[in-house]
Amino acid sequence: MVSEHAAQPDARPRTRPAAQVLVASNRGPVSYTLATDGSLDARRGGGGLVSGLSAVDDKLWVCAALGDGDREAVRRGVGEPGVRMLDIDAAVHADAYNGIANSVLWFVHHMLYQTPLEPVFDAEFRRQWASFETYNRAFAEALAEEAGRGAAVLVQDYHLSLVPGMLRALRPDLRIGHFSHTPWAPVDYFRLLPDDIAEQLLRGILGADRAAFLTRRWADAFTGCCAEILGGTGDTRIGVHGLGADADFLRRRAHEADVDERMAALREQIGPGRRTIVRVDRTELSKNIVRGLFAYRALLDERPEWRERVVHVAFAYPSRQDLAVYRDYTAEVRQVADDINEVYGTTAWTPVVLHVKDDFARSLAAYRLADVALVNPIRDGMNLVAKEIPVVSDHGCALVLSREAGAYEELGSDALVVNPYDVSATAEALHEALTMADDERSARTERLAAAAVALPPQQWFLDQLDALRD
Protein backbone atom coordinates (compact mmCIF):
# COMPACT_ATOMS: atom_id res chain seq x y z
CA MET A 1 0.00 0.00 0.00
CA VAL A 2 1.39 3.44 -0.95
CA SER A 3 1.67 5.65 2.11
CA GLU A 4 -0.49 8.76 2.39
CA HIS A 5 2.64 10.77 3.11
CA ALA A 6 4.26 9.69 -0.17
CA ALA A 7 1.12 10.44 -2.13
CA GLN A 8 1.11 14.12 -1.26
CA PRO A 9 2.60 16.18 -4.14
CA ASP A 10 4.68 18.44 -1.90
CA ALA A 11 5.46 15.96 0.87
CA ARG A 12 9.22 15.58 1.47
CA PRO A 13 11.73 15.32 4.30
CA ARG A 14 12.23 18.65 6.07
CA THR A 15 16.00 18.26 6.17
CA ARG A 16 16.61 19.52 2.61
CA PRO A 17 14.80 21.59 0.01
CA ALA A 18 12.75 20.01 -2.75
CA ALA A 19 14.86 18.77 -5.65
CA GLN A 20 14.31 19.90 -9.24
CA VAL A 21 16.51 17.20 -10.83
CA LEU A 22 16.40 13.67 -9.44
CA VAL A 23 18.04 10.44 -10.54
CA ALA A 24 17.11 6.94 -9.41
CA SER A 25 19.24 3.83 -9.78
CA ASN A 26 19.84 0.62 -7.88
CA ARG A 27 23.51 1.46 -7.26
CA GLY A 28 24.45 4.94 -6.17
CA PRO A 29 27.61 7.03 -6.48
CA VAL A 30 29.00 5.99 -3.09
CA SER A 31 29.19 2.78 -1.06
CA TYR A 32 30.17 2.14 2.55
CA THR A 33 32.21 -0.60 4.18
CA LEU A 34 31.85 -1.37 7.87
CA ALA A 35 35.30 -1.85 9.42
CA THR A 36 36.02 -4.19 12.33
CA ASP A 37 36.34 -1.20 14.67
CA GLY A 38 32.84 -0.05 13.71
CA SER A 39 33.93 2.82 11.51
CA LEU A 40 32.48 3.40 8.05
CA ASP A 41 34.68 3.82 4.99
CA ALA A 42 33.16 5.55 1.96
CA ARG A 43 34.16 4.69 -1.60
CA ARG A 44 33.17 6.65 -4.67
CA GLY A 45 31.87 4.72 -7.65
CA GLY A 46 32.86 5.12 -11.27
CA GLY A 47 31.50 4.38 -14.70
CA GLY A 48 29.52 6.20 -17.33
CA LEU A 49 26.49 6.96 -15.16
CA VAL A 50 28.51 8.56 -12.36
CA SER A 51 30.52 10.54 -14.90
CA GLY A 52 27.43 11.62 -16.79
CA LEU A 53 25.56 12.83 -13.74
CA SER A 54 28.46 15.06 -12.76
CA ALA A 55 27.13 17.41 -15.46
CA VAL A 56 24.47 18.62 -13.00
CA ASP A 57 25.57 19.83 -9.58
CA ASP A 58 22.20 20.53 -7.99
CA LYS A 59 20.52 17.12 -8.11
CA LEU A 60 19.36 14.37 -5.79
CA TRP A 61 20.41 10.79 -6.43
CA VAL A 62 18.12 8.13 -4.92
CA CYS A 63 19.67 4.66 -4.67
CA ALA A 64 19.47 1.45 -2.65
CA ALA A 65 21.63 0.42 0.28
CA LEU A 66 23.39 -2.62 -1.16
CA GLY A 67 25.27 -4.10 1.77
CA ASP A 68 25.72 -4.05 5.52
CA GLY A 69 27.94 -0.99 5.34
CA ASP A 70 25.40 0.97 3.31
CA ARG A 71 22.57 -0.02 5.64
CA GLU A 72 24.56 0.95 8.71
CA ALA A 73 25.34 4.32 7.11
CA VAL A 74 21.63 4.93 6.59
CA ARG A 75 20.84 3.97 10.17
CA ARG A 76 23.54 6.29 11.53
CA GLY A 77 22.45 9.13 9.28
CA VAL A 78 25.79 9.11 7.46
CA GLY A 79 25.67 10.21 3.85
CA GLU A 80 26.74 12.62 1.16
CA PRO A 81 24.93 15.78 0.13
CA GLY A 82 22.72 15.08 -2.84
CA VAL A 83 22.37 11.34 -2.17
CA ARG A 84 19.45 9.55 -0.51
CA MET A 85 20.13 5.88 0.14
CA LEU A 86 17.12 3.64 0.79
CA ASP A 87 17.39 0.97 3.46
CA ILE A 88 15.11 -1.53 1.75
CA ASP A 89 14.74 -4.82 3.62
CA ALA A 90 17.69 -7.03 2.65
CA ALA A 91 15.50 -10.03 1.80
CA VAL A 92 13.22 -7.89 -0.37
CA HIS A 93 16.22 -6.43 -2.18
CA ALA A 94 17.71 -9.89 -2.74
CA ASP A 95 14.46 -11.14 -4.26
CA ALA A 96 14.07 -8.05 -6.45
CA TYR A 97 17.69 -7.71 -7.55
CA ASN A 98 18.91 -11.29 -7.86
CA GLY A 99 15.60 -13.12 -8.16
CA ILE A 100 13.87 -10.88 -10.71
CA ALA A 101 16.17 -8.21 -12.18
CA ASN A 102 19.27 -10.36 -12.71
CA SER A 103 17.72 -13.82 -13.06
CA VAL A 104 14.64 -12.96 -15.13
CA LEU A 105 14.71 -9.51 -16.75
CA TRP A 106 18.42 -9.68 -17.62
CA PHE A 107 17.95 -13.15 -19.09
CA VAL A 108 14.95 -12.04 -21.15
CA HIS A 109 16.56 -8.92 -22.60
CA HIS A 110 19.84 -10.74 -23.35
CA MET A 111 18.00 -13.83 -24.65
CA LEU A 112 19.99 -16.17 -22.41
CA TYR A 113 17.46 -18.80 -21.41
CA GLN A 114 17.95 -22.49 -22.22
CA THR A 115 14.30 -22.75 -23.12
CA PRO A 116 13.89 -26.55 -22.88
CA LEU A 117 14.45 -26.15 -19.13
CA GLU A 118 13.88 -22.49 -18.27
CA PRO A 119 12.24 -20.18 -17.41
CA VAL A 120 9.74 -21.62 -14.95
CA PHE A 121 7.26 -19.05 -13.69
CA ASP A 122 5.79 -20.66 -10.60
CA ALA A 123 4.72 -19.67 -7.10
CA GLU A 124 8.31 -18.80 -6.13
CA PHE A 125 8.56 -16.44 -9.07
CA ARG A 126 5.32 -14.75 -7.99
CA ARG A 127 6.66 -14.35 -4.47
CA GLN A 128 9.84 -12.72 -5.78
CA TRP A 129 7.82 -10.56 -8.15
CA ALA A 130 5.91 -9.17 -5.16
CA SER A 131 9.29 -8.16 -3.70
CA PHE A 132 10.21 -6.51 -7.00
CA GLU A 133 7.02 -4.45 -6.75
CA THR A 134 7.83 -3.51 -3.15
CA TYR A 135 11.37 -2.51 -4.11
CA ASN A 136 10.16 -0.34 -7.00
CA ARG A 137 7.46 1.21 -4.80
CA ALA A 138 10.09 2.25 -2.24
CA PHE A 139 11.87 4.22 -4.95
CA ALA A 140 8.65 5.76 -6.25
CA GLU A 141 7.65 6.91 -2.76
CA ALA A 142 11.07 8.38 -2.03
CA LEU A 143 11.12 10.26 -5.34
CA ALA A 144 7.60 11.54 -4.69
CA GLU A 145 8.69 12.80 -1.29
CA GLU A 146 11.81 14.54 -2.52
CA ALA A 147 10.74 16.10 -5.82
CA GLY A 148 9.70 19.72 -6.11
CA ARG A 149 6.67 20.60 -8.21
CA GLY A 150 7.33 19.96 -11.90
CA ALA A 151 10.77 18.43 -11.21
CA ALA A 152 12.59 16.24 -13.73
CA VAL A 153 13.14 12.64 -12.62
CA LEU A 154 15.41 10.30 -14.59
CA VAL A 155 14.93 6.63 -13.66
CA GLN A 156 17.75 4.30 -14.63
CA ASP A 157 17.54 0.77 -15.98
CA TYR A 158 15.63 -2.48 -15.82
CA HIS A 159 15.83 -2.79 -12.03
CA LEU A 160 13.37 0.11 -11.77
CA SER A 161 11.05 -0.64 -14.68
CA LEU A 162 7.93 -0.20 -12.56
CA VAL A 163 8.94 3.10 -10.98
CA PRO A 164 7.71 5.51 -13.69
CA GLY A 165 4.15 4.21 -13.57
CA MET A 166 4.10 4.14 -9.77
CA LEU A 167 5.57 7.62 -9.56
CA ARG A 168 3.13 8.98 -12.13
CA ALA A 169 0.25 7.83 -9.92
CA LEU A 170 1.78 9.61 -6.92
CA ARG A 171 2.99 12.77 -8.64
CA PRO A 172 1.31 13.55 -11.98
CA ASP A 173 3.02 16.96 -12.01
CA LEU A 174 6.51 15.51 -12.53
CA ARG A 175 8.46 15.10 -15.76
CA ILE A 176 9.60 11.49 -15.71
CA GLY A 177 12.14 9.76 -17.92
CA HIS A 178 13.27 6.16 -17.99
CA PHE A 179 16.54 4.99 -19.54
CA SER A 180 17.28 1.34 -20.40
CA HIS A 181 20.99 0.46 -20.31
CA THR A 182 20.36 -3.08 -21.58
CA PRO A 183 19.06 -4.37 -24.89
CA TRP A 184 15.30 -4.80 -25.17
CA ALA A 185 14.03 -8.23 -26.13
CA PRO A 186 12.16 -8.71 -29.43
CA VAL A 187 8.49 -9.31 -28.93
CA ASP A 188 8.53 -13.09 -29.45
CA TYR A 189 11.17 -13.50 -26.75
CA PHE A 190 9.66 -10.88 -24.44
CA ARG A 191 6.47 -12.91 -24.48
CA LEU A 192 8.22 -15.70 -22.59
CA LEU A 193 7.14 -13.65 -19.58
CA PRO A 194 3.68 -14.28 -18.12
CA ASP A 195 1.18 -12.08 -19.95
CA ASP A 196 0.28 -9.97 -16.92
CA ILE A 197 3.94 -9.43 -16.01
CA ALA A 198 4.88 -8.41 -19.56
CA GLU A 199 2.03 -5.91 -19.58
CA GLN A 200 2.94 -4.58 -16.13
CA LEU A 201 6.56 -3.99 -17.19
CA LEU A 202 5.55 -2.12 -20.33
CA ARG A 203 2.97 0.00 -18.52
CA GLY A 204 5.53 0.72 -15.82
CA ILE A 205 7.97 2.25 -18.30
CA LEU A 206 5.15 3.97 -20.20
CA GLY A 207 4.40 5.88 -17.02
CA ALA A 208 7.33 8.02 -18.12
CA ASP A 209 6.97 11.04 -20.38
CA ARG A 210 9.96 9.72 -22.26
CA ALA A 211 11.56 6.27 -22.52
CA ALA A 212 15.10 6.21 -23.90
CA PHE A 213 17.50 3.52 -25.11
CA LEU A 214 21.13 3.15 -26.16
CA THR A 215 20.38 2.30 -29.80
CA ARG A 216 17.55 2.56 -32.28
CA ARG A 217 17.41 -1.24 -32.42
CA TRP A 218 16.54 -1.53 -28.73
CA ALA A 219 14.05 1.34 -28.97
CA ASP A 220 12.32 -0.33 -31.91
CA ALA A 221 12.13 -3.62 -30.00
CA PHE A 222 10.43 -1.84 -27.10
CA THR A 223 7.91 -0.11 -29.32
CA GLY A 224 7.29 -3.43 -31.06
CA CYS A 225 6.44 -5.06 -27.73
CA CYS A 226 4.15 -2.15 -26.83
CA ALA A 227 2.36 -2.37 -30.18
CA GLU A 228 1.84 -6.13 -29.91
CA ILE A 229 0.84 -6.30 -26.24
CA LEU A 230 -0.71 -2.90 -25.48
CA GLY A 231 -1.62 -1.52 -28.89
CA GLY A 232 1.01 1.23 -28.79
CA THR A 233 3.12 3.50 -26.60
CA GLY A 234 0.40 6.03 -25.79
CA ASP A 235 1.72 9.50 -25.02
CA THR A 236 5.22 8.34 -24.08
CA ARG A 237 7.96 9.67 -26.36
CA ILE A 238 10.80 7.36 -27.37
CA GLY A 239 14.42 8.51 -27.56
CA VAL A 240 17.88 7.17 -28.36
CA HIS A 241 21.11 8.29 -26.68
CA GLY A 242 24.23 6.24 -27.43
CA LEU A 243 26.48 6.63 -24.39
CA GLY A 244 30.04 7.43 -25.44
CA ALA A 245 33.45 7.17 -23.81
CA ASP A 246 34.86 9.88 -21.56
CA ALA A 247 37.94 10.64 -23.65
CA ASP A 248 39.51 13.30 -21.43
CA PHE A 249 39.33 11.16 -18.32
CA LEU A 250 40.52 7.98 -20.06
CA ARG A 251 43.48 9.56 -21.78
CA ARG A 252 44.59 11.32 -18.61
CA ARG A 253 44.11 8.30 -16.36
CA ALA A 254 45.79 5.93 -18.83
CA HIS A 255 49.11 7.76 -18.49
CA GLU A 256 49.37 7.83 -14.73
CA ALA A 257 52.19 6.05 -12.93
CA ASP A 258 50.24 2.99 -11.79
CA VAL A 259 49.16 2.28 -15.37
CA ASP A 260 52.78 2.48 -16.54
CA GLU A 261 53.69 -0.02 -13.82
CA ARG A 262 50.97 -2.42 -14.99
CA MET A 263 52.15 -2.03 -18.59
CA ALA A 264 55.66 -3.08 -17.62
CA ALA A 265 54.30 -6.15 -15.81
CA LEU A 266 52.07 -7.10 -18.76
CA ARG A 267 54.92 -6.70 -21.25
CA GLU A 268 56.95 -9.12 -19.17
CA GLN A 269 54.11 -11.64 -19.18
CA ILE A 270 53.53 -11.23 -22.93
CA GLY A 271 57.17 -11.39 -23.95
CA PRO A 272 59.11 -9.29 -26.49
CA GLY A 273 57.92 -8.90 -30.07
CA ARG A 274 54.56 -10.58 -29.64
CA ARG A 275 51.18 -9.28 -30.81
CA THR A 276 48.29 -8.93 -28.37
CA ILE A 277 44.59 -9.75 -28.55
CA VAL A 278 42.92 -7.96 -25.62
CA ARG A 279 39.53 -8.42 -24.02
CA VAL A 280 38.28 -6.80 -20.81
CA ASP A 281 34.96 -8.04 -19.44
CA ARG A 282 33.06 -9.07 -16.39
CA THR A 283 32.29 -12.79 -16.26
CA GLU A 284 28.75 -11.98 -17.28
CA LEU A 285 27.02 -14.73 -19.26
CA SER A 286 26.20 -12.39 -22.13
CA LYS A 287 29.85 -11.37 -22.66
CA ASN A 288 30.63 -14.63 -24.49
CA ILE A 289 34.12 -15.04 -23.03
CA VAL A 290 34.22 -18.81 -23.48
CA ARG A 291 33.48 -18.65 -27.21
CA GLY A 292 36.11 -15.94 -27.51
CA LEU A 293 38.63 -18.35 -26.00
CA PHE A 294 37.41 -21.07 -28.36
CA ALA A 295 38.01 -18.70 -31.30
CA TYR A 296 41.54 -18.00 -30.09
CA ARG A 297 42.15 -21.74 -29.77
CA ALA A 298 40.84 -22.19 -33.33
CA LEU A 299 43.24 -19.48 -34.50
CA LEU A 300 46.18 -21.39 -33.00
CA ASP A 301 44.89 -24.64 -34.54
CA GLU A 302 44.17 -23.34 -38.03
CA ARG A 303 46.93 -20.74 -38.25
CA PRO A 304 49.90 -22.39 -36.50
CA GLU A 305 52.14 -19.56 -37.68
CA TRP A 306 50.70 -17.51 -34.81
CA ARG A 307 51.95 -19.88 -32.15
CA GLU A 308 54.48 -18.12 -29.93
CA ARG A 309 53.80 -14.88 -31.85
CA VAL A 310 50.56 -13.76 -30.20
CA VAL A 311 49.16 -13.63 -26.67
CA HIS A 312 45.52 -13.37 -25.68
CA VAL A 313 45.36 -10.93 -22.76
CA ALA A 314 42.01 -11.75 -21.19
CA PHE A 315 40.65 -9.92 -18.17
CA ALA A 316 37.53 -11.66 -16.85
CA TYR A 317 36.48 -9.93 -13.67
CA PRO A 318 34.05 -11.99 -11.54
CA SER A 319 30.45 -10.77 -11.60
CA ARG A 320 27.35 -11.77 -9.60
CA GLN A 321 29.16 -14.56 -7.82
CA ASP A 322 26.22 -14.93 -5.41
CA LEU A 323 24.41 -16.71 -8.30
CA ALA A 324 25.49 -20.30 -8.99
CA VAL A 325 25.23 -19.97 -12.79
CA TYR A 326 27.74 -17.11 -12.73
CA ARG A 327 30.14 -19.00 -10.47
CA ASP A 328 29.98 -21.95 -12.86
CA TYR A 329 30.61 -19.68 -15.84
CA THR A 330 33.63 -18.07 -14.17
CA ALA A 331 35.02 -21.54 -13.45
CA GLU A 332 34.52 -22.51 -17.10
CA VAL A 333 36.43 -19.42 -18.28
CA ARG A 334 39.36 -20.40 -16.05
CA GLN A 335 39.26 -24.01 -17.21
CA VAL A 336 39.25 -23.20 -20.93
CA ALA A 337 42.13 -20.73 -20.50
CA ASP A 338 44.10 -23.32 -18.55
CA ASP A 339 43.42 -25.96 -21.21
CA ILE A 340 44.72 -23.69 -23.99
CA ASN A 341 47.87 -22.93 -22.02
CA GLU A 342 48.43 -26.62 -21.27
CA VAL A 343 48.01 -27.74 -24.89
CA TYR A 344 49.84 -24.92 -26.68
CA GLY A 345 52.08 -23.24 -24.10
CA THR A 346 55.85 -23.54 -24.05
CA THR A 347 58.45 -22.64 -21.49
CA ALA A 348 58.84 -19.25 -23.18
CA TRP A 349 55.21 -18.54 -24.18
CA THR A 350 51.94 -18.44 -22.26
CA PRO A 351 49.19 -18.25 -24.91
CA VAL A 352 46.49 -16.85 -22.56
CA VAL A 353 47.31 -14.31 -19.88
CA LEU A 354 44.16 -14.42 -17.74
CA HIS A 355 43.48 -12.05 -14.86
CA VAL A 356 40.34 -12.33 -12.77
CA LYS A 357 40.97 -9.69 -10.09
CA ASP A 358 39.42 -6.34 -11.00
CA ASP A 359 42.12 -3.74 -11.60
CA PHE A 360 41.19 -0.62 -13.57
CA ALA A 361 44.79 0.53 -13.99
CA ARG A 362 45.71 -2.87 -15.48
CA SER A 363 42.71 -2.68 -17.82
CA LEU A 364 43.92 0.68 -19.11
CA ALA A 365 47.42 -0.73 -19.56
CA ALA A 366 45.97 -3.54 -21.68
CA TYR A 367 43.97 -1.00 -23.70
CA ARG A 368 47.20 0.83 -24.53
CA LEU A 369 49.00 -2.38 -25.53
CA ALA A 370 46.22 -3.86 -27.65
CA ASP A 371 46.94 -4.75 -31.28
CA VAL A 372 43.48 -6.35 -31.51
CA ALA A 373 40.44 -5.76 -29.30
CA LEU A 374 38.02 -8.69 -29.07
CA VAL A 375 34.47 -7.64 -28.11
CA ASN A 376 32.12 -10.52 -28.99
CA PRO A 377 29.08 -10.40 -26.67
CA ILE A 378 26.03 -12.55 -27.32
CA ARG A 379 24.04 -9.38 -26.74
CA ASP A 380 24.96 -6.06 -25.12
CA GLY A 381 23.16 -2.78 -24.60
CA MET A 382 26.23 -0.81 -25.70
CA ASN A 383 29.63 -2.16 -24.53
CA LEU A 384 31.88 0.73 -23.59
CA VAL A 385 35.04 -1.40 -23.82
CA ALA A 386 34.61 -1.38 -27.60
CA LYS A 387 34.64 2.42 -27.45
CA GLU A 388 37.33 2.87 -24.80
CA ILE A 389 40.11 0.78 -26.35
CA PRO A 390 40.37 2.79 -29.61
CA VAL A 391 40.44 6.01 -27.54
CA VAL A 392 43.32 4.82 -25.33
CA SER A 393 45.34 2.59 -27.71
CA ASP A 394 48.95 3.77 -28.09
CA HIS A 395 49.59 2.50 -31.61
CA GLY A 396 46.13 1.76 -33.01
CA CYS A 397 44.17 -1.45 -32.72
CA ALA A 398 41.85 -3.49 -34.90
CA LEU A 399 38.42 -4.07 -33.37
CA VAL A 400 36.71 -7.46 -33.74
CA LEU A 401 33.13 -6.65 -32.78
CA SER A 402 29.96 -8.67 -32.35
CA ARG A 403 27.04 -7.48 -34.44
CA GLU A 404 24.90 -8.04 -31.32
CA ALA A 405 26.64 -5.29 -29.32
CA GLY A 406 24.89 -1.95 -29.20
CA ALA A 407 28.23 -0.36 -30.15
CA TYR A 408 27.93 -2.05 -33.57
CA GLU A 409 25.41 0.60 -34.59
CA GLU A 410 28.09 3.31 -34.28
CA LEU A 411 31.35 1.39 -34.80
CA GLY A 412 30.43 -1.40 -37.22
CA SER A 413 31.71 0.29 -40.37
CA ASP A 414 35.30 0.36 -39.07
CA ALA A 415 35.28 -2.91 -37.11
CA LEU A 416 35.66 -6.51 -38.23
CA VAL A 417 32.12 -7.65 -37.49
CA VAL A 418 31.33 -11.18 -36.34
CA ASN A 419 28.40 -13.40 -35.47
CA PRO A 420 29.13 -14.10 -31.77
CA TYR A 421 28.12 -17.74 -32.08
CA ASP A 422 30.39 -18.43 -35.08
CA VAL A 423 33.70 -19.48 -33.54
CA SER A 424 35.35 -20.28 -36.88
CA ALA A 425 34.46 -16.90 -38.39
CA THR A 426 35.67 -15.14 -35.23
CA ALA A 427 39.00 -16.97 -35.49
CA GLU A 428 39.31 -15.82 -39.10
CA ALA A 429 38.49 -12.25 -38.06
CA LEU A 430 41.25 -12.41 -35.43
CA HIS A 431 43.69 -13.47 -38.15
CA GLU A 432 42.53 -10.64 -40.40
CA ALA A 433 42.91 -8.19 -37.53
CA LEU A 434 46.42 -9.40 -36.70
CA THR A 435 47.54 -9.10 -40.33
CA MET A 436 45.91 -5.72 -40.98
CA ALA A 437 48.33 -3.18 -42.48
CA ASP A 438 49.58 -0.55 -40.05
CA ASP A 439 48.19 2.39 -42.00
CA GLU A 440 44.74 0.80 -42.28
CA ARG A 441 44.69 -0.07 -38.59
CA SER A 442 45.68 3.48 -37.66
CA ALA A 443 43.03 5.01 -39.93
CA ARG A 444 40.32 2.71 -38.57
CA THR A 445 41.34 3.44 -34.98
CA GLU A 446 41.11 7.17 -35.58
CA ARG A 447 37.59 6.85 -36.97
CA LEU A 448 36.55 4.44 -34.20
CA ALA A 449 37.80 6.84 -31.54
CA ALA A 450 35.95 9.76 -33.11
CA ALA A 451 32.69 7.78 -33.14
CA ALA A 452 33.31 6.51 -29.61
CA VAL A 453 33.42 9.97 -28.06
CA ALA A 454 30.59 11.55 -30.07
CA LEU A 455 28.30 11.63 -27.02
CA PRO A 456 30.45 11.67 -23.86
CA PRO A 457 28.77 10.86 -20.55
CA GLN A 458 28.01 14.40 -19.39
CA GLN A 459 26.48 15.40 -22.71
CA TRP A 460 24.62 12.08 -22.81
CA PHE A 461 22.91 12.98 -19.54
CA LEU A 462 22.26 16.62 -20.44
CA ASP A 463 20.69 15.59 -23.76
CA GLN A 464 18.22 13.37 -21.91
CA LEU A 465 17.43 16.11 -19.39
CA ASP A 466 16.89 18.69 -22.12
CA ALA A 467 14.67 16.32 -24.12
CA LEU A 468 12.60 15.56 -21.03
CA ARG A 469 12.08 19.24 -20.30
CA ASP A 470 11.12 20.13 -23.88
Side-chain angles (χ1 to χ4, degrees):
M1 178 68 69
V2 175
S3 70
E4 289 183 2
H5 175 69
Q8 299 302 313
D10 294 319
R12 58 186 180 274
R14 302 282 184 184
T15 55
R16 55 177 161 247
Q20 287 301 314
V21 177
L22 301 93
V23 175
S25 64
N26 177 70
R27 184 179 300 276
V30 63
S31 61
Y32 296 91
T33 303
L34 186 62
T36 53
D37 64 359
S39 63
L40 287 168
D41 296 324
R43 180 180 179 183
R44 296 290 299 179
L49 186 57
V50 173
S51 178
L53 296 182
S54 67
V56 177
D57 293 328
D58 187 16
K59 63 181 179 296
L60 179 69
W61 194 326
V62 178
C63 57
L66 299 183
D68 292 340
D70 287 355
R71 293 188 178 92
E72 185 61 24
V74 175
R75 290 163 192 156
R76 294 183 190 180
V78 174
E80 290 196 3
V83 178
R84 179 173 172 183
M85 193 173 279
L86 306 179
D87 186 10
I88 299 169
D89 180 83
V92 169
H93 186 271
D95 283 344
Y97 183 72
N98 282 330
I100 298 298
N102 289 342
S103 296
V104 177
L105 301 185
W106 181 274
F107 274 64
V108 168
H109 290 315
H110 290 83
M111 301 171 64
L112 292 175
Y113 279 124
Q114 299 181 59
T115 53
L117 299 174
E118 56 186 8
V120 176
F121 296 122
D122 54 10
E124 175 63 8
F125 164 77
R126 293 288 175 172
R127 186 193 66 78
Q128 292 182 326
W129 183 259
S131 293
F132 186 73
E133 292 173 317
T134 299
Y135 158 80
N136 275 252
R137 189 174 295 113
F139 274 86
E141 292 185 348
L143 292 164
E145 290 173 349
E146 297 282 3
R149 182 163 293 280
V153 182
L154 290 112
V155 180
Q156 302 295 313
D157 225 358
Y158 62 103
H159 314 90
L160 303 180
S161 299
L162 304 182
V163 169
M166 292 175 170
L167 183 57
R168 176 67 64 208
L170 294 170
R171 293 289 304 274
D173 62 295
L174 300 178
R175 294 177 181 267
I176 304 170
H178 185 277
F179 193 90
S180 294
H181 293 262
T182 64
W184 193 273
V187 64
D188 287 348
Y189 206 90
F190 187 73
R191 298 205 77 161
L192 287 176
L193 292 167
D195 292 350
D196 62 315
I197 300 299
E199 182 173 339
Q200 189 178 352
L201 282 167
L202 295 175
R203 292 196 186 281
I205 291 178
L206 292 179
D209 296 282
R210 194 168 184 274
F213 300 84
L214 286 164
T215 73
R216 175 53 56 188
R217 181 182 178 187
W218 312 141
D220 289 347
F222 174 76
T223 58
C225 289
C226 291
E228 179 75 16
I229 296 170
L230 303 178
T233 57
D235 295 330
T236 301
R237 292 176 288 137
I238 307 299
V240 174
H241 304 274
L243 176 62
D246 188 343
D248 292 340
F249 165 74
L250 288 169
R251 287 170 177 150
R252 180 180 68 253
R253 182 68 182 87
H255 289 85
E256 292 181 2
D258 59 340
V259 177
D260 290 335
E261 291 172 4
R262 305 302 197 280
M263 285 184 71
L266 283 174
R267 283 194 177 105
E268 185 173 347
Q269 289 182 296
I270 293 163
R274 293 191 174 113
R275 311 298 296 277
T276 57
I277 299 169
V278 169
R279 81 170 306 135
V280 177
D281 280 310
R282 293 175 292 108
T283 51
E284 162 54 55
L285 307 181
S286 63
K287 297 299 183 181
N288 208 26
I289 300 169
V290 170
R291 286 193 190 89
L293 289 166
F294 288 166
Y296 178 63
R297 184 176 66 189
L299 174 74
L300 300 179
D301 270 341
E302 297 161 13
R303 303 281 186 173
E305 66 268 26
W306 285 114
R307 297 178 190 178
E308 299 204 65
R309 293 180 53 215
V310 66
V311 172
H312 187 13
V313 179
F315 297 165
Y317 300 142
S319 173
R320 300 175 183 170
Q321 295 299 290
D322 44 354
L323 296 176
V325 66
Y326 285 86
R327 293 195 298 273
D328 293 345
Y329 188 74
T330 302
E332 182 69 11
V333 168
R334 290 176 183 266
Q335 186 61 58
V336 174
D338 288 345
D339 290 347
I340 292 171
N341 286 336
E342 183 176 348
V343 171
Y344 298 98
T346 67
T347 56
W349 173 54
T350 303
V352 180
V353 172
L354 177 69
H355 285 284
V356 296
K357 184 178 179 181
D358 198 345
D359 185 329
F360 185 58
R362 188 174 57 214
S363 297
L364 290 174
Y367 286 4
R368 289 180 58 187
L369 289 170
D371 294 301
V372 177
L374 175 58
V375 181
N376 68 318
I378 293 170
R379 207 166 152 84
D380 214 333
M382 177 53 68
N383 196 295
L384 282 179
V385 170
K387 293 187 171 185
E388 291 169 349
I389 293 182
V391 171
V392 172
S393 173
D394 279 355
H395 305 293
C397 71
L399 174 62
V400 176
L401 179 64
S402 166
R403 67 190 185 195
E404 298 301 317
Y408 164 73
E409 196 163 291
E410 297 165 75
L411 307 183
S413 60
D414 284 297
L416 300 175
V417 178
V418 295
N419 172 347
Y421 300 96
D422 192 337
V423 168
S424 295
T426 302
E428 187 58 31
L430 291 175
H431 173 71
E432 185 179 347
L434 288 165
T435 55
M436 186 179 291
D438 290 347
D439 56 350
E440 182 182 354
R441 187 172 69 249
S442 295
R444 285 185 185 232
T445 303
E446 186 175 340
R447 293 192 297 267
L448 288 167
V453 302
L455 194 62
Q458 292 191 12
Q459 192 59 50
W460 168 83
F461 179 72
L462 289 175
D463 283 2
Q464 291 177 66
L465 187 58
D466 290 344
L468 183 60
R469 286 169 164 169
D470 283 346

